[in-house]
């Protein structure tokens, strides 16, 4: 069963087509990396998949449940309550964390599970503590986001997304706001998640990391998927000229 | 802790400097008033008033007489004051050359201010009557009968004598009769700065007109309710139904008869000219302590300031509560419309509302509230709270809106990516951050609101400013009462400002 299924997705901003006919399936436990030059539409793809942006055409399914239906050149979104349910299948981690600055680390993590999912407070708190431990942040429970380093903030953001018990996680350049050192601590968390068979779609500029962690790598340019396959196919032996030149540029 | 102390000391220092500045100003001002008589025109008869500066009370017959001279070739200037006492004060300061005013008040003023004098020449005799709406014929006839009865049984003479011919104190003040008052309430509009007809004494509006109104009510079996307001608001109050009759030493004139009806006249009066002779020799200049005693202690006058202070605070707090609740609602409607569409009609209403409120003076809004929209509401504090609350809401809504706009849009996306709805994210995530950012601006709005309420006196409400006005019209002394309330306002604002500073600092320490 595919966790995520995108078919023939199209998206334009002000008449300029940013995504042209993107189709993508992600199976349970799969780790997919998306690489590509700036402006190629990677973030827009993630935003469409996470329902933050409206799709112009195409369909979107999570665990075979239809979130967006294609009706020949237009889209129909599922009713609100179904979408609310579908949204629980995935979580999203932003480039600049978007932690809630007025809440402590603990509250950042527990707020949504308690208020949205109506789960038991104590149970959520225990889970939050477990997650923080996993992130190496057990001593930051009561800290506020402004008291944390970028790497710590991103790990809190990951814990926050995980606390919702999603089936899969999207990451949009989770390390590009971080120093190389801090990047490593976040990447290590992602590697641990991959080991635990968390389904993930990661937009990243860290080619080396993408090669190590991914089951599949997707190279995007100009709103289309140019090449996709295993890391050794796409990163080590790219067949497309654009992929090759992008990778050469990234190595420099 | 130590920092705290220095802040307090600094506040105190500023306050004291303010006090010194203001008193110095006042001292200079007073000094000038008694000496500066150089460019003064000497007025000895009616013929001399051409080309002078004439002071009148706005809306009175004196003002109508003065109008004949206004703009003539000699360059006569007519200055219209809200109260007769204000005109007299200006005359004392030589800001004007003479005041045309009714005889009895003039006698009172001259009795209390030795440098003033009344010219022997007089304008024509005029009739005072109670004004009443043209539709209230039945009430008019009842009042006419009552007035006739009072003349016949001698009570009328007793009331007049008590206020006018009572040097030896032998005449008793009229006491309300113990009668049943089942025939409703008679609301009397007046302008209580016109002794002996109407003035404040011991916190109450009293005077010849008021005792007469009481006597009429006793005959009619009605309760008397007195509403103090600006003189030129009285006719509007009566025609709009805010009051049943106007009893304010009002002369029957052709112009007034176009809008309103009058009862039979109850007394006659004439306009006289009051001038400042500048002869100060028989004035004993009062010391600071004596002046203080006269303005605040005698007749318990400080109570006007206490009442005023209380009302100012009540109005401000009430208005702030309305302003904040409504302001937040408007801001939510407008940002929701901007961000995710919908609410088109409500949003349009909110926009028009904010535009109108921000585009018109608060004073005009207050008067419109009192005379038109809330004409049926008789509790003035309620009217003021609503008027200032609605006014404040428009400003608060813009502050809140800018606060919401300033929150990173990523916060809304983060909330939604965690499954929160738009409203939930707004309440749990966006608003707490917005409020933190705008707290200082909201406090500043509170500070300007406090000062704004000083116009409450225009609907006859005794706020702090009006309290000082009442003292002023009783003591004919501007400096003390005005300085006192200036200092009270300053103190309130400085305490709040100190609080805002502290708050700002706390919030800054809490930044990301
Ligand atoms: N809200 C928007 N309105 C208009 N144009 C947009 C909007 N969002 C993105 N775009 C445009 O769509 C294109 C793709 O943007 P996108 O952010 O998806 O690229 P990206 O691959 O994520 O780039 P980067 O690696 O720099 O993050 C860009 O040309 C961008 O200018
Ligand atoms: Mg991007």
């Amino acid at each position: 069963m595919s966790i995520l299924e995108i078919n023939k997705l199209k998206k334009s901003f002000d008449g300029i087509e940013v995504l042209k006919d993107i189709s993508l399936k992600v199976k349970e436990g799969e780790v997919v990396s998306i690489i590509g030059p700036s402006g190629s539409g990677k973030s827009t793809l993630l935003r469409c998949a996470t329902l933050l942006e409206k799709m112009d055409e195409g369909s979107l399914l999570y665990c075979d449940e239809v979130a967006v239906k294609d009706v020949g050149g237009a889209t129909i979104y599922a009713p609100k309550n179904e979408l609310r349910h579908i949204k629980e299948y995935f979580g999203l981690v932003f480039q600049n964390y978007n932690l809630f600055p007025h809440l402590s680390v603990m509250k950042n993590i527990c707020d949504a599970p308690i208020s949205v999912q109506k789960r038991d407070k104590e149970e959520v708190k225990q889970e939050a503590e477990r997650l923080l431990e996993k992130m190496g942040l057990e001593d930051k429970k009561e800290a506020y986001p402004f008291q944390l380093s970028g790497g710590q903030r991103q790990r809190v953001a990951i814990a926050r997304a995980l606390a919702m018990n999603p089936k899969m996680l999207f990451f949009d350049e989770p390390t590009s706001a971080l120093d190389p050192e801090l990047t490593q601590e976040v990447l290590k968390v992602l590697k641990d998640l991959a080991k635990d068979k968390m389904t993930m779609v990661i937009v990243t500029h860290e080619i080396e990391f993408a090669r190590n962690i991914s089951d599949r790598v997707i190279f995007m340019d100009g709103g289309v998927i140019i090449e996709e396959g295993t890391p050794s196919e796409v990163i080590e032996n790219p067949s497309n000229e654009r992929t090759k030149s992008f990778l050469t540029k990234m190595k420099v | 802790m130590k920092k705290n102390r220095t802040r307090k000391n600094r506040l105190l220092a500023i306050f004291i400097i303010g006090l010194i500045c203001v008193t110095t100003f006042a001292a200079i001002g007073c000094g000038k008033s008694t000496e500066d008589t150089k460019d003064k025109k000497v007025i000895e008869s009616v013929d001399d008033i051409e080309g002078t500066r004439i002071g009148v009370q706005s809306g009175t017959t004196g003002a109508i007489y003065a109008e004949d001279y206004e703009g003539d070739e000699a360059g006569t200037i007519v200055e219209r004051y809200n109260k007769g006492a204000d005109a007299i004060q200006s005359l004392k300061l030589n800001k004007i050359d003479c005041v045309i005013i009714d005889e009895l008040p003039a006698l009172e003023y001259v009795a209390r201010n030795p440098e003033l004098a009344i010219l022997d020449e007089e304008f024509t005799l005029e009739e005072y009557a109670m004004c009443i709406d043209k539709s209230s014929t039945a009430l008019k006839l009842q009042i006419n009968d009552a007035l006739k009865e009072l003349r016949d049984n001698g009570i009328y003479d007793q009331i007049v004598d008590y206020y006018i011919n009572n040097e030896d104190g032998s005449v008793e003040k009229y006491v309300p009769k113990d009668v049943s008052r089942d025939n409703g309430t008679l609301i009397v509009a007046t302008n209580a700065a016109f002794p002996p007809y109407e003035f404040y004494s011991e916190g109450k509006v009293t005077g010849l007109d008021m005792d007469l109104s009481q006597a009429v009510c006793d005959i009619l079996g009605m309760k008397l309710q007195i509403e103090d307001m600006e003189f030129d608001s009285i006719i509007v109050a009566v025609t709009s139904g805010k009051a049943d009759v106007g009893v304010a030493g009002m002369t029957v004139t052709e112009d007034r008869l176009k809008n309103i009806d009058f009862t039979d006249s109850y007394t006659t009066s004439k306009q006289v000219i009051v001038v400042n002779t500048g002869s100060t020799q028989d004035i004993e200049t009062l010391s600071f302590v004596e002046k203080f005693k006269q303005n605040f202690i005698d007749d318990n006058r400080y109570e006007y300031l206490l009442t005023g202070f209380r009302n100012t605070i009540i109005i401000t707090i009430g208005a702030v509560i309305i302003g904040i609740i409504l302001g937040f609602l408007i801001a939510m409607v407008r940002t929701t419309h901007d961000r995710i569409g919908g609410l088109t009609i409500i949003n349009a209403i909110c926009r028009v509302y904010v535009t109108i409120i921000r585009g018109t003076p608060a004073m005009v809004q207050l008067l419109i509230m009192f005379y038109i929209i809330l004409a049926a509401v008789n509790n003035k504090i309620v009217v003021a709270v609503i008027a200032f609350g609605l006014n404040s809401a428009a400003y608060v809504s813009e502050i809140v809106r800018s606060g919401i706009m300033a929150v990173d849009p990523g916060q809304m996306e983060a909330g939604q990516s965690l499954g929160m709805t738009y409203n939930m994210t707004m309440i749990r995530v966006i608003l707490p951050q917005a409020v933190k950012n705008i707290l200082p601006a909201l406090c500043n709005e509170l500070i300007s609101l406090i000062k704004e309420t000083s116009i409450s006196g225009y609907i006859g409400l005794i706020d702090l400013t009006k309290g000082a006005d009442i003292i002023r019209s009783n003591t004919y002394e501007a400096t003390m009462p005005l300085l006192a309330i200036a200092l009270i306002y300053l103190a309130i604002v400085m305490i709040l400002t100190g609080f805002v500073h502290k708050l700002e600092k706390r919030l800054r320490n809490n930044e990301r």
Side-chain angles (χ1 to χ4, degrees):
Chain A
M1 182 181 72
S2 306
I3 303 271
L4 167 69
E5 185 178 336
I6 299 173
N7 295 307
K8 297 185 183 310
L9 161 58
K10 286 186 184 165
K11 172 75 189 173
S12 308
F13 286 115
D14 313 318
I16 297 163
E17 206 163 38
V18 173
L19 295 176
K20 307 162 184 167
D21 205 18
I22 302 267
S23 295
L24 171 66
K25 277 187 188 178
V26 180
K27 290 201 293 283
E28 185 153 20
E30 211 181 358
V31 176
V32 178
S33 293
I34 302 178
I35 57 173
S38 184
S40 55
K42 308 179 297 289
S43 293
T44 308
L45 172 59
L46 247 55
R47 293 169 57 81
C48 285
T50 52
L51 302 166
L52 288 177
E53 204 79 70
K54 243 188 155 94
M55 310 168 35
D56 294 340
E57 284 179 45
S59 59
L60 172 66
L61 296 89
Y62 280 94
C63 304
D64 294 336
E65 289 176 35
V66 182
V68 185
K69 205 161 60 176
D70 187 277
V71 283
T75 51
I76 294 180
Y77 277 72
K80 263 190 186 163
N81 55 335
E82 280 178 38
L83 281 183
R84 204 176 302 147
H85 170 67
I86 288 172
K87 275 182 181 172
E88 297 201 5
Y89 286 130
F90 61 84
L92 173 60
V93 176
F94 300 86
Q95 177 178 350
N96 46 1
Y97 339 118
N98 287 343
L99 291 181
F100 303 137
H102 60 299
L103 300 179
S104 67
V105 165
M106 203 60 183
K107 289 231 175 77
N108 258 282
I109 297 174
C110 296
D111 195 39
I114 293 170
S115 67
V116 178
Q117 297 180 325
K118 312 271 181 240
R119 278 156 56 192
D120 178 63
K121 260 188 196 169
E122 282 312 309
E123 176 210 310
V124 172
K125 268 190 192 158
Q126 278 169 19
E127 187 175 349
E129 278 170 23
R130 214 167 44 241
L131 285 167
L132 282 175
E133 213 169 299
K134 207 164 149 188
M135 302 289 152
L137 291 171
E138 54 272 34
D139 54 334
K140 298 290 182 195
K141 264 190 282 186
E142 297 312 318
Y144 280 82
F146 74 95
Q147 296 165 317
L148 303 178
S149 75
Q152 291 170 329
R153 286 185 211 183
Q154 192 59 295
R155 282 180 281 155
V156 173
I158 294 171
R160 181 173 74 174
L162 285 170
M164 301 290 285
N165 292 326
K167 284 212 174 310
M168 72 171 295
L169 279 182
F170 291 95
F171 294 84
D172 191 357
E173 303 192 26
T175 60
S176 58
L178 300 174
D179 298 339
E181 249 170 274
L182 301 177
T183 300
Q184 289 314 313
E185 58 183 58
V186 173
L187 293 184
K188 185 179 168 298
V189 169
L190 294 188
K191 275 179 197 149
D192 291 347
L193 286 174
K195 245 185 251 159
D196 296 347
K197 288 289 160 207
M198 184 74 202
T199 312
M200 294 190 282
V201 172
I202 308 167
V203 172
T204 183
H205 287 295
E206 305 281 336
I207 306 295
E208 202 42 48
F209 165 76
R211 183 192 4 220
N212 287 336
I213 197 178
S214 314
D215 300 313
R216 190 152 44 109
V217 176
I218 293 176
F219 174 69
M220 268 181 80
D221 194 7
V224 287
I225 294 177
I226 305 282
E227 202 169 345
E228 85 175 279
T230 61
S232 60
E233 286 167 354
V234 177
I235 295 176
E236 283 157 34
N237 308 295
S239 54
N240 189 290
E241 277 312 310
R242 272 148 87 183
T243 322
K244 278 181 200 166
S245 77
F246 171 74
L247 288 170
T248 341
K249 256 187 254 158
M250 289 303 288
K251 269 179 200 128
V252 182
Chain B
M1 272 301 104
K2 190 164 169 252
K3 250 188 186 156
N4 233 337
R5 176 112 37 86
T6 43
R7 154 138 300 136
K8 256 182 213 146
N9 286 345
R10 203 157 69 217
L11 281 179
L12 197 71
I14 298 174
F15 189 74
I16 290 169
I17 292 171
L19 188 107
I20 293 170
C21 289
V22 178
T23 21
T24 324
F25 268 131
I28 296 169
C30 288
K32 235 199 214 141
S33 66
T34 44
E35 287 158 27
D36 179 22
T37 45
K38 283 159 242 152
D39 60 342
K40 217 190 135 227
K41 301 222 169 66
V42 182
I43 301 174
E44 277 157 0
S45 75
V46 184
D47 305 330
D48 297 336
I49 70 172
E50 274 181 41
T52 63
R53 294 162 301 175
I54 309 174
V56 295
Q57 181 180 359
S58 161
T60 59
T61 38
I64 297 170
Y65 285 129
E67 251 166 37
D68 296 342
Y69 295 94
E70 191 173 28
D72 60 7
E73 277 169 18
T76 311
I77 296 168
V78 178
E79 301 202 349
R80 293 171 176 78
Y81 294 84
N82 278 328
K83 289 196 281 289
D86 286 350
I88 293 294
Q89 255 167 39
S90 275
L91 179 65
K92 284 177 68 181
L93 297 173
N94 281 319
K95 287 182 193 292
I96 47 179
D97 302 313
C98 66
V99 172
I100 302 180
I101 196 161
D102 305 55
E103 186 183 24
L104 287 185
L107 286 169
E108 291 264 342
Y109 296 140
V110 171
R112 299 191 211 180
N113 300 284
E115 73 267 46
L116 302 184
I118 296 176
L119 293 188
D120 287 340
E121 272 177 275
E122 287 152 359
F123 288 95
T124 45
L125 215 61
E126 17 176 81
E127 313 251 295
Y128 280 177
M130 302 182 182
C131 68
I132 187 163
D133 193 66
K134 288 187 172 171
S135 63
S136 319
T137 345
L139 181 63
K140 183 179 117 176
L141 295 177
Q142 284 179 310
I143 293 177
N144 284 342
D145 288 346
L147 286 173
K148 187 167 180 309
E149 190 180 327
L150 291 170
R151 276 190 195 279
D152 293 344
N153 65 16
I155 292 179
Y156 173 82
D157 289 328
Q158 178 200 340
I159 292 173
V160 172
D161 286 346
Y162 174 74
Y163 285 102
I164 298 169
N165 305 314
N166 200 16
E167 285 82 18
D168 53 355
S170 61
V171 187
E172 296 276 314
K173 183 171 158 53
Y174 178 77
V175 205
K177 292 237 159 53
D178 187 16
V179 295
S180 87
R181 302 183 189 276
D182 303 332
N183 298 337
T185 304
L186 186 75
I187 303 176
V188 169
T190 193
N191 173 238
F194 203 60
Y197 294 103
E198 39 267 327
F199 55 94
Y200 272 92
S201 174
E202 285 165 6
K204 284 207 179 69
V205 180
T206 180
L208 193 159
D209 282 349
M210 299 303 106
D211 283 3
L212 194 61
S213 301
Q214 181 63 58
V216 168
C217 281
D218 289 351
I219 291 177
L220 300 183
M222 294 175 90
K223 280 194 269 307
L224 175 65
Q225 182 186 332
I226 297 168
E227 295 291 342
D228 177 31
M229 58 185 71
E230 300 302 325
F231 185 78
D232 45 8
S233 298
I234 292 174
I235 291 184
V236 186
V238 172
T239 50
S240 70
K242 280 257 154 198
D244 299 314
V245 286
V247 189
M250 193 179 278
T251 312
V252 185
T253 65
E254 289 298 314
D255 267 348
R256 284 180 185 150
L257 281 168
K258 283 177 196 150
N259 297 312
I260 203 151
D261 208 352
F262 282 92
T263 63
D264 293 340
S265 109
Y266 58 86
T267 189
T268 55
S269 173
K270 49 205 165 195
Q271 299 289 317
V272 296
I273 302 171
V274 181
V275 293
N276 187 343
T277 59
S279 66
T280 50
Q281 66 263 28
D282 42 331
I283 306 172
E284 357 146 14
T285 38
L286 295 176
S287 72
F288 183 86
V289 178
E290 284 166 326
K291 267 191 181 171
F292 186 89
K293 185 169 166 296
Q294 181 201 21
N295 278 293
F296 303 123
I297 314 288
D298 290 356
D299 200 19
N300 288 341
R301 295 206 170 105
Y302 67 91
E303 279 179 7
Y304 296 114
L305 294 187
L306 283 186
T307 312
F309 179 78
R310 204 193 61 215
N311 285 341
T312 292
I313 297 294
I314 292 175
I315 295 169
T316 307
I317 291 175
V320 158
I321 292 171
I322 293 183
I324 288 199
I325 294 175
L326 198 61
F328 267 82
L329 287 177
I330 294 173
M332 294 287 284
V333 168
R334 296 201 57 194
T335 40
T336 304
H337 174 83
D338 288 353
R339 291 250 168 100
I340 58 172
L343 301 173
T344 321
I345 294 173
I346 308 180
N347 180 62
I349 294 173
C350 290
R351 271 183 60 176
V352 170
Y353 172 77
V354 172
T355 310
I356 290 177
I357 295 284
R358 300 210 306 172
T360 52
M363 162 109 120
V364 176
Q365 293 162 19
L366 179 68
L367 292 177
I368 289 179
M369 254 326 143
F370 186 68
Y371 286 111
I372 304 170
I373 299 174
L374 296 179
V377 178
N378 271 324
N379 187 328
K380 289 173 181 170
I381 293 198
V382 170
V383 174
V385 164
I386 293 176
F388 288 113
L390 293 181
N391 176 278
S392 181
Y395 293 91
V396 169
S397 79
E398 288 297 289
I399 294 173
V400 175
R401 211 161 73 92
S402 70
I404 293 176
M405 297 296 210
V407 175
D408 177 6
Q411 293 289 313
M412 180 52 86
E413 297 191 339
Q416 289 183 323
S417 83
L418 290 169
M420 296 188 196
T421 60
Y422 174 86
N423 286 339
M424 222 166 145
T425 319
M426 202 63 179
I427 291 165
R428 302 183 75 91
V429 179
I430 311 287
L431 278 183
Q433 296 180 52
V435 166
K436 198 175 125 178
N437 292 334
I438 61 176
L439 255 186
L442 283 180
C443 292
N444 286 332
E445 167 61 19
L446 169 66
I447 287 172
S448 50
L449 184 63
I450 290 177
K451 292 178 285 176
E452 199 112 282
T453 59
S454 63
I455 57 178
S456 303
Y458 277 88
I459 60 170
L461 209 157
I462 303 183
D463 74 321
L464 200 48
T465 307
K466 176 80 176 180
D469 264 3
I470 294 172
I471 296 181
R472 207 151 57 90
S473 60
N474 275 329
T475 61
Y476 308 99
E477 220 275 318
T479 322
M480 283 266 178
L482 289 180
L483 281 188
I485 59 161
L487 286 175
I488 296 173
Y489 280 115
L490 187 63
I492 302 175
V493 168
M494 279 175 59
I495 290 168
L496 280 172
T497 313
F499 173 72
V500 174
H501 279 311
K502 227 178 243 170
L503 201 69
E504 269 176 337
K505 223 175 185 179
R506 271 265 290 284
L507 294 178
R508 222 178 299 129
N509 290 342
N510 224 341
E511 259 326 290
R512 20 177 166 171

